Amino acid sequence: MEKTVGELATFLDGEVVGNADTIITGINGITEAREGDLTFIANPKYMQYLETTAASAVIVSRDVTSSGKTLITVDNPYLAFAKALTVMTAKEMEYFGVSAGAEVHPDAVVDPEVAIYPLVYVGRSAQIRKKAVLYPGVYIGEEARVGEESILYPSVTLMDRCVVGNRVIIHAGTVIGSDGFGFAPDGTGHMKIPQVGIVQIDDDVEIGSNCSIDRAAMGVTWIKRGVIMDNLVQVGHNVVIDEDSIVVAQVGISGSTQVGKNVILAGQAGLVGHIKIGDGAIVTAQAGISRDVESGEAVSGTPHMPHRKWLRVMNVVPRLPEMRRELKQLAQRIEALEKGKKGEGEKR
Amino acid sequence: MEKTVGELATFLDGEVVGNADTIITGINGITEAREGDLTFIANPKYMQYLETTAASAVIVSRDVTSSGKTLITVDNPYLAFAKALTVMTAKEMEYFGVSAGAEVHPDAVVDPEVAIYPLVYVGRSAQIRKKAVLYPGVYIGEEARVGEESILYPSVTLMDRCVVGNRVIIHAGTVIGSDGFGFAPDGTGHMKIPQVGIVQIDDDVEIGSNCSIDRAAMGVTWIKRGVIMDNLVQVGHNVVIDEDSIVVAQVGISGSTQVGKNVILAGQAGLVGHIKIGDGAIVTAQAGISRDVESGEAVSGTPHMPHRKWLRVMNVVPRLPEMRRELKQLAQRIEALEKGKKGEGEKR
Amino acid sequence: MEKTVGELATFLDGEVVGNADTIITGINGITEAREGDLTFIANPKYMQYLETTAASAVIVSRDVTSSGKTLITVDNPYLAFAKALTVMTAKEMEYFGVSAGAEVHPDAVVDPEVAIYPLVYVGRSAQIRKKAVLYPGVYIGEEARVGEESILYPSVTLMDRCVVGNRVIIHAGTVIGSDGFGFAPDGTGHMKIPQVGIVQIDDDVEIGSNCSIDRAAMGVTWIKRGVIMDNLVQVGHNVVIDEDSIVVAQVGISGSTQVGKNVILAGQAGLVGHIKIGDGAIVTAQAGISRDVESGEAVSGTPHMPHRKWLRVMNVVPRLPEMRRELKQLAQRIEALEKGKKGEGEKR
């Protein structure tokens, strides 16, 4: 895609310092950029590259008002760069309909303006809405639904009756709606509890690759609007993740746990079942959460504690051998004092 | 499915209190149930809902003998509910044979009464037994075998020569029989050790989605009867998991480790290779197991210790900064005492 | 495959003690081996089986010079066994070209000597080089490239423009090139940062099953020559893993982290983003790495510390409740001493 600096500045709500007619044909990092590229500086420590970059234009904050380079000045250079990147790299999607090599059940309801690649399976009574894209190897179960402009990458599995909203992105290999882990001891072994609920994924959610999101035992496992989830995440049955929360790679969330809005669950954290994580809480990497976390709290460790406390505790942990030695030495010194005292007593 | 309360009571070995002719058309939780639904109370704290639920009948324990509601009284309400749920939600499976869109090798041995969906691949000399169900995207390698009434959900990979027993369920995206992680340093890098063994999965096993179970270097990686495994679990080469054990999500078991019967490995636990976990042992969430665990033992932490001890230890951990301060103060007080003593000595 | 002991000895740079004409038809462990099998002893503790094994020949170290068994004596018995296993179990690969049931874009560049199974998808302008093998369910995105003699097992996803070198093995279900986890807060939620870089996998790499390797935001996520990676590993965008490093199952590496050469990352370890792990470093199982690790260092724990220190610390941890009790007792004894002193003072 090709745009002038002026067009981009208008799109980014920015102002041009320099030549608005400069043609931008690409976009790249400040040190990698070449002629024709747009780049950005969000972190002041990169200002040193402003005059030396080969880029034809640079997005900077509004306090930069002159340069040998053509500038686009904006409120938030990183966000503006993300927007520019989005528009410059947008692929013209072709909604070619249903490929000959796809297997779509005759009772499925498929909008004509979709892209269903070869080797996709769409089951009975499934619904595929306008501008949905299903890559090869995708499986859509019976009565499942994929909303408008949603993209399911290769080998995504959406089991029967599960629902994906609009503008959802699901990366390759992710499984939505596998059975929840429910068993009742029956005297000899474990009897499977049928998992008859669904998974509901609301609008504007992005889910990474090779995640597993289990269907509810009854009712709904629910990923709400704006949640972003990284790769290899485990979500148990009947979990609810509220709006705009961030779930980093390899996190595990056990059954029926409720995660609030704007929560951050960092990498490899584990949450037991049936607890609540309050809005805006932060769970740091590898933490093991076994009880409720209050709104706005930051917690770390297994079992978890407030993050600031954890930092202090972890500062002491490497000193444990030394503390143990000190403790022994103090005991000896006390013993010496006690003996001395006793000796004194005896002396008297 | 539609059944009378009387029919269900007979099926559940229960007794009817109230109207045995009440028609049951659905099944749901106590607060979600509507007219026509069956529900249950297993936990006494839900007894408050007995008279107010909209359900048409309630499964309760035998000590409840009268109610405005129609009751089915049983020994174990939760188990009875699980059974009722199973029978009420059972899908009539259609064994339609091999779909036109499936790729089945002419030398594969496939029972006529199976359901092989389109986009399935079955390799040379593979065996697919009676009432097996293979969903789209399933891959069955050469000489692999799927037993009777087993279900392989979408994109399950069963590599060559691996064996799946009867009534086994494998959820989407799981890989059975990828190469074990075996390498020998050869002076310049790592030489791959061919992994020529197999994976054997016995009857009545259930395996979650996106698991990886590696084939043995030689011999067998063996998942025995009745094991239930959650999602995203890693099982190394030559691991043996004995009957009825439970492996929760994101557990990792390294090569050649032997897990006994009725063991519970909780979420994100990790086991090193070449160790034994005794029958009935419990490994709690995120524990790191680096040596044998005795039968019946419950262990926690990394490195692990007995669970009760771990609880006591974890009770102390948040107090470490305080302990460190105390230790310093005690040292000062001892020093003062020592000085005092010395002073005393000098005074004399 | 059938070979004489003499042929094998030549291939292994070994010497025959006994009958060089003995026919070897199989290969197995020392206790499982049967007549016709070759086996090996690398660990002296298995020397007890040398005379009793049913194997027809045994690979041993050069210091073993006589036996009732036919021997092949070599410098490194384990490595020699690995080589013998490789040659004895090598499957004659059939490069049958492109199956009728595969979906290959007409603009893809496919060597005639390949094996592309049915149900494979190869996108526009992708390149599949000589002797590459693509199993069913593999997806090759637009302009992606698979090098010579590389094997992609079932349901591997290689997203657009990503590059796989020569002699690379990728096990089933692994996703190469899913979007990196990049978002910018935009005031109301999170704006997706387009991930326009690629993944580059160099020659002689092996990657396990169900891994997720994200494409770079810009530039390259880079897995260099000879890296071996186990199952269920997460690799974030712009990560670099240098030559011959070993990444064990369920490890997570966050964005932009650089892993040196010959590094070992043990199972379930987690690395934050933007750090460097020096050449030859070892990160032990479940460790949480939040800052740089020096070359050759071995580190453990969360947050990590030198492995030897960690061992000493972990030796103290189970004694914390006892230490706390001791601390209290010491405080009491000091108090008693202080009171005694005061009493003494008063007495005077």
Side-chain angles (χ1 to χ4, degrees):
Chain A
M1 189 154 303
E2 202 176 292
K3 290 197 178 290
T4 66
V5 166
E7 287 168 339
L8 283 165
T10 304
F11 172 72
L12 300 173
D13 280 333
E15 281 176 61
V16 179
V17 176
N19 182 6
D21 297 330
T22 303
I23 302 286
I24 298 299
T25 54
I27 190 158
N28 217 329
I30 189 95
T31 55
E32 294 84 9
R34 288 184 283 186
E35 208 187 317
D37 280 351
L38 176 68
T39 190
F40 78 113
I41 297 175
N43 187 331
K45 79 175 181 187
Y46 289 98
M47 280 303 292
Q48 53 171 309
Y49 297 110
L50 177 56
E51 306 303 330
T52 58
T53 179
S56 295
V58 187
I59 299 173
V60 292
S61 63
R62 292 204 191 265
D63 56 329
V64 183
T65 50
S66 79
S67 164
K69 288 282 164 187
T70 292
L71 306 178
I72 301 175
T73 66
V74 297
D75 291 339
N76 182 336
Y78 186 54
L79 188 59
F81 177 71
K83 285 180 183 168
L85 190 59
T86 305
V87 71
M88 291 296 293
T89 61
K91 267 175 68 177
E92 195 76 28
M93 210 57 206
E94 240 195 292
Y95 299 102
F96 50 73
V98 178
S99 299
E103 297 274 350
V104 177
H105 194 283
D107 293 349
V109 180
V110 178
D111 190 278
E113 202 183 344
V114 298
I116 299 187
Y117 279 78
L119 309 175
V120 165
Y121 181 90
V122 179
R124 187 179 51 74
S125 305
Q127 296 176 42
I128 311 298
R129 302 238 163 119
K130 195 174 171 175
K131 295 190 174 176
V133 180
L134 307 183
Y135 277 89
V138 164
Y139 170 87
I140 307 293
E142 298 185 358
E143 299 176 47
R145 191 174 80 216
V146 178
E148 296 183 8
E149 296 180 52
S150 288
I151 302 174
L152 274 58
Y153 281 106
S155 296
V156 164
T157 294
L158 182 71
M159 294 297 295
D160 52 297
R161 293 186 290 116
C162 294
V163 172
V164 168
N166 302 320
R167 297 172 304 281
V168 169
I169 299 171
I170 305 179
H171 289 281
T174 282
V175 177
I176 310 287
S178 40
D179 280 354
F181 201 61
F183 299 87
D186 65 0
T188 57
H190 312 285
M191 186 193 163
K192 179 178 175 66
I193 316 269
Q195 304 289 304
V196 299
I198 66 161
V199 176
Q200 177 180 329
I201 295 176
D202 290 348
D203 297 347
D204 301 302
V205 165
E206 180 161 353
I207 295 174
S209 54
N210 282 331
C211 292
S212 289
I213 303 182
D214 279 350
R215 64 195 312 120
M218 292 188 183
V220 178
T221 302
W222 194 0
I223 314 295
K224 294 195 184 176
R225 190 197 54 70
V227 166
I228 52 181
M229 194 181 287
D230 204 346
N231 305 328
L232 292 162
V233 170
Q234 151 70 6
V235 178
H237 51 185
N238 294 83
V239 163
V240 177
I241 305 180
D242 213 336
E243 299 184 356
D244 294 318
S245 284
I246 296 175
V247 183
V248 181
Q250 296 178 318
V251 161
I253 308 175
S254 303
S256 300
T257 279
Q258 295 180 40
V259 176
K261 296 181 189 186
N262 290 301
V263 168
I264 298 173
L265 305 178
Q268 297 185 334
L271 282 61
V272 301
H274 297 274
I275 60 172
K276 285 189 191 186
I277 310 298
D279 294 350
I282 296 173
V283 173
T284 67
Q286 294 189 329
I289 309 301
S290 49
R291 35 177 221 283
D292 290 358
V293 174
E294 296 295 311
S295 293
E297 218 185 333
V299 295
S300 299
T302 302
H304 72 269
M305 59 189 90
H307 179 64
R308 278 156 175 277
K309 176 166 221 172
W310 181 81
L311 287 176
R312 287 196 302 270
V313 168
M314 288 303 131
N315 189 38
V316 178
V317 164
R319 291 165 171 147
L320 281 176
E322 175 195 322
M323 278 173 67
R324 187 150 178 259
R325 269 196 310 278
E326 281 172 19
L327 200 55
K328 282 188 179 165
Q329 287 164 357
L330 292 193
Q332 285 166 354
R333 285 163 67 185
I334 291 172
E335 204 172 346
L337 283 167
E338 286 168 342
K339 273 199 188 139
K341 224 180 138 44
K342 205 176 151 206
E344 233 172 68
E346 276 166 8
K347 264 188 267 169
R348 281 181 196 171
Chain B
M1 191 154 300
E2 203 175 291
K3 290 197 177 289
T4 66
V5 166
E7 288 168 340
L8 283 164
T10 303
F11 173 70
L12 300 173
D13 281 332
E15 280 176 60
V16 179
V17 177
N19 182 4
D21 297 332
T22 304
I23 302 286
I24 297 300
T25 55
I27 190 158
N28 218 327
I30 189 93
T31 55
E32 295 82 11
R34 288 183 284 187
E35 209 188 314
D37 280 351
L38 176 68
T39 189
F40 78 112
I41 298 176
N43 185 331
K45 79 175 181 188
Y46 289 97
M47 280 304 291
Q48 51 170 312
Y49 298 110
L50 178 56
E51 306 303 330
T52 58
T53 179
S56 295
V58 186
I59 299 172
V60 292
S61 64
R62 293 204 191 265
D63 56 329
V64 183
T65 50
S66 79
S67 162
K69 289 284 164 188
T70 292
L71 306 177
I72 300 175
T73 66
V74 297
D75 291 339
N76 181 337
Y78 185 55
L79 189 58
F81 177 72
K83 286 179 182 169
L85 189 60
T86 304
V87 71
M88 292 294 293
T89 61
K91 268 174 68 175
E92 195 76 30
M93 210 57 206
E94 241 195 289
Y95 300 102
F96 50 74
V98 178
S99 299
E103 298 274 350
V104 177
H105 194 284
D107 292 350
V109 180
V110 179
D111 190 279
E113 201 182 344
V114 298
I116 299 187
Y117 279 79
L119 309 176
V120 166
Y121 181 90
V122 178
R124 188 178 51 74
S125 304
Q127 296 176 41
I128 312 297
R129 302 239 162 120
K130 194 175 174 177
K131 296 192 173 174
V133 180
L134 307 183
Y135 277 90
V138 164
Y139 170 87
I140 308 294
E142 297 185 358
E143 299 176 48
R145 190 174 81 216
V146 178
E148 296 184 8
E149 297 179 52
S150 288
I151 302 175
L152 274 57
Y153 281 106
S155 296
V156 164
T157 294
L158 182 70
M159 294 298 294
D160 53 298
R161 292 185 291 116
C162 294
V163 174
V164 169
N166 302 320
R167 298 172 303 282
V168 169
I169 299 171
I170 306 179
H171 288 282
T174 282
V175 176
I176 311 287
S178 39
D179 279 353
F181 200 61
F183 299 86
D186 63 0
T188 58
H190 312 285
M191 187 194 162
K192 179 177 176 68
I193 315 270
Q195 303 289 304
V196 300
I198 65 161
V199 177
Q200 175 180 331
I201 296 176
D202 290 347
D203 296 346
D204 302 302
V205 165
E206 180 162 352
I207 295 174
S209 53
N210 282 332
C211 292
S212 289
I213 303 182
D214 280 350
R215 66 193 313 119
M218 291 187 183
V220 178
T221 302
W222 193 1
I223 314 294
K224 295 194 183 177
R225 190 198 53 70
V227 166
I228 53 182
M229 194 182 285
D230 204 346
N231 306 327
L232 291 161
V233 169
Q234 151 70 5
V235 178
H237 52 186
N238 294 82
V239 163
V240 178
I241 306 180
D242 213 337
E243 298 185 358
D244 295 317
S245 284
I246 296 176
V247 183
V248 182
Q250 295 177 318
V251 161
I253 308 175
S254 303
S256 300
T257 279
Q258 294 180 41
V259 176
K261 296 180 189 188
N262 291 300
V263 167
I264 298 174
L265 305 178
Q268 297 184 333
L271 283 62
V272 301
H274 297 275
I275 60 171
K276 285 189 191 187
I277 310 297
D279 293 350
I282 297 174
V283 173
T284 68
Q286 294 189 329
I289 310 302
S290 49
R291 34 177 222 284
D292 289 359
V293 174
E294 295 295 309
S295 294
E297 219 186 332
V299 295
S300 299
T302 302
H304 73 270
M305 56 189 92
H307 179 63
R308 279 155 175 277
K309 177 165 218 172
W310 181 80
L311 287 176
R312 286 196 303 270
V313 168
M314 288 302 132
N315 189 37
V316 178
V317 165
R319 291 167 173 143
L320 281 177
E322 178 195 320
M323 278 173 67
R324 186 146 180 263
R325 269 196 310 278
E326 281 173 20
L327 200 55
K328 282 188 179 165
Q329 288 163 358
L330 291 193
Q332 285 166 354
R333 285 162 69 185
I334 291 171
E335 202 172 347
L337 283 167
E338 287 168 342
K339 275 201 186 136
K341 225 181 136 44
K342 205 176 152 204
E344 236 172 63
E346 277 164 5
K347 262 188 268 170
R348 282 181 197 169
Chain C
M1 191 155 298
E2 204 176 289
K3 289 197 177 290
T4 66
V5 166
E7 287 168 340
L8 283 164
T10 304
F11 172 70
L12 300 173
D13 280 332
E15 281 176 59
V16 179
V17 176
N19 182 4
D21 297 331
T22 305
I23 303 285
I24 297 299
T25 56
I27 190 159
N28 217 328
I30 188 95
T31 56
E32 296 83 9
R34 287 183 285 188
E35 209 187 316
D37 281 351
L38 175 69
T39 190
F40 78 113
I41 298 176
N43 185 332
K45 78 176 182 189
Y46 289 98
M47 280 304 291
Q48 51 171 310
Y49 297 110
L50 177 57
E51 306 303 329
T52 58
T53 180
S56 295
V58 187
I59 299 172
V60 292
S61 62
R62 292 204 192 265
D63 56 329
V64 184
T65 50
S66 79
S67 164
K69 289 282 165 189
T70 291
L71 307 178
I72 301 176
T73 65
V74 297
D75 291 338
N76 182 337
Y78 185 53
L79 188 60
F81 177 70
K83 285 179 183 169
L85 190 59
T86 304
V87 72
M88 291 296 294
T89 61
K91 267 174 70 176
E92 194 75 28
M93 211 57 207
E94 240 195 288
Y95 299 102
F96 49 74
V98 178
S99 299
E103 297 273 351
V104 177
H105 194 284
D107 292 351
V109 179
V110 179
D111 190 279
E113 200 183 346
V114 298
I116 299 187
Y117 280 78
L119 309 175
V120 165
Y121 181 90
V122 178
R124 187 176 53 73
S125 304
Q127 295 176 42
I128 312 297
R129 302 237 162 121
K130 195 175 171 175
K131 295 191 175 177
V133 180
L134 308 182
Y135 277 90
V138 164
Y139 170 87
I140 308 294
E142 298 185 357
E143 299 176 47
R145 190 175 80 215
V146 178
E148 295 183 9
E149 296 179 54
S150 288
I151 303 174
L152 275 56
Y153 281 106
S155 296
V156 164
T157 293
L158 182 70
M159 295 298 294
D160 51 297
R161 293 186 290 119
C162 294
V163 173
V164 168
N166 301 320
R167 297 171 306 281
V168 169
I169 299 172
I170 306 179
H171 289 281
T174 282
V175 176
I176 311 287
S178 40
D179 280 353
F181 201 61
F183 299 87
D186 63 1
T188 59
H190 311 285
M191 186 194 163
K192 179 178 175 68
I193 315 270
Q195 303 289 304
V196 300
I198 65 161
V199 177
Q200 176 180 331
I201 296 176
D202 290 347
D203 296 347
D204 301 302
V205 165
E206 180 162 354
I207 295 174
S209 53
N210 283 331
C211 292
S212 289
I213 303 182
D214 280 350
R215 66 194 311 119
M218 292 188 183
V220 178
T221 302
W222 194 359
I223 314 295
K224 295 194 184 176
R225 190 198 52 71
V227 166
I228 52 182
M229 195 182 286
D230 204 346
N231 306 327
L232 292 161
V233 169
Q234 152 70 6
V235 178
H237 51 187
N238 294 82
V239 163
V240 178
I241 306 180
D242 212 337
E243 298 184 359
D244 295 317
S245 284
I246 296 176
V247 183
V248 182
Q250 296 178 317
V251 161
I253 308 175
S254 302
S256 300
T257 279
Q258 294 181 40
V259 177
K261 296 182 190 186
N262 290 300
V263 168
I264 297 174
L265 305 178
Q268 298 185 334
L271 282 61
V272 301
H274 297 275
I275 59 171
K276 285 189 192 185
I277 310 297
D279 293 350
I282 297 174
V283 173
T284 68
Q286 294 189 329
I289 309 302
S290 48
R291 32 177 223 285
D292 290 358
V293 174
E294 296 295 310
S295 294
E297 219 186 333
V299 295
S300 299
T302 303
H304 73 268
M305 58 189 90
H307 179 63
R308 278 155 176 278
K309 176 164 221 173
W310 181 79
L311 288 176
R312 287 196 302 270
V313 168
M314 288 303 131
N315 189 37
V316 179
V317 164
R319 291 166 172 145
L320 281 177
E322 177 196 321
M323 278 173 66
R324 186 149 179 261
R325 270 196 310 278
E326 280 173 20
L327 200 55
K328 282 187 179 166
Q329 288 164 357
L330 292 193
Q332 285 166 354
R333 285 163 68 184
I334 291 171
E335 202 171 347
L337 284 167
E338 287 168 340
K339 274 199 188 138
K341 220 175 143 47
K342 204 177 153 204
E344 235 173 67
E346 276 164 8
K347 263 189 269 170
R348 283 180 196 170

